[in-house]
Amino acid sequence: MRQPVQALDTLLAMKVLALHEGLRNSDRVVACILIEHFNRRTGRLDLSIERVAKLAELHTRTVIRAIERLVRLRLFRKVRHGGYSNRNRYEPNWQLFAELHGRWNKRFGRKSRTPESHGDGPQ
């Protein structure tokens, strides 16, 4: 079983989304909204398309296409549950985010940054 999602996990996911070459700007905005609304305590992410569209200031159809691309790229998993307001549940692929972050660091010769490695003092 995976450890609970930490604040660093969400930060690294945002970094991966910013650097991912296969995403359009609208995809990045939608993905960032989803990550921002992920509840680390409960592991839930239930936003309606309309709510995402309002927050992103995008048309609902644009949000639907963005979510389809994010799911196709395996960055998120969509689970239809038809609950309140016919919302879907979204699951960020934390393992893939970690792998992509590791590839980014390897590509640029960086060591993986963890909270423990930040003890160098002020810069």
Side-chain angles (χ1 to χ4, degrees):
M1 184 172 168
R2 191 186 192 298
Q3 293 181 349
V5 175
Q6 303 296 314
L8 183 60
D9 295 324
T10 57
L11 177 65
L12 294 180
M14 296 286 201
K15 178 180 174 182
V16 167
L17 293 168
L19 300 172
H20 199 292
E21 295 173 356
L23 297 178
R24 297 177 180 180
N25 286 338
S26 57
D27 302 342
R28 291 179 216 288
V29 171
V30 169
C32 287
I33 288 170
L34 293 176
I35 293 292
E36 180 65 24
H37 283 82
F38 179 79
N39 187 321
R40 291 192 313 262
R41 187 177 51 80
T42 65
R44 298 291 301 209
L45 176 54
D46 301 295
L47 282 176
S48 68
I49 298 292
E50 292 77 16
R51 176 76 175 143
V52 175
K54 183 178 180 179
L55 291 169
E57 297 181 343
L58 296 170
H59 191 275
T60 54
R61 189 66 202 138
T62 303
V63 172
I64 290 168
R65 285 191 298 268
I67 290 172
E68 288 171 354
R69 278 189 291 276
L70 295 168
V71 169
R72 189 172 51 248
L73 291 169
R74 298 182 6 247
L75 295 167
F76 289 85
R77 182 171 168 247
K78 180 171 78 170
V79 179
R80 293 183 182 269
H81 62 71
Y84 182 70
S85 299
N86 289 319
R87 294 178 184 164
N88 295 313
R89 184 176 80 229
Y90 302 98
E91 298 172 356
N93 187 343
W94 299 113
Q95 182 177 351
L96 181 59
F97 284 124
E99 289 172 18
L100 292 172
H101 182 257
R103 286 186 209 161
W104 173 261
N105 284 341
K106 185 176 180 180
R107 179 177 169 190
F108 290 96
R110 295 181 182 162
K111 292 182 181 179
S112 181
R113 294 178 65 154
T114 62
E116 295 82 32
S117 69
H118 292 266
D120 300 330
Q123 301 255 336

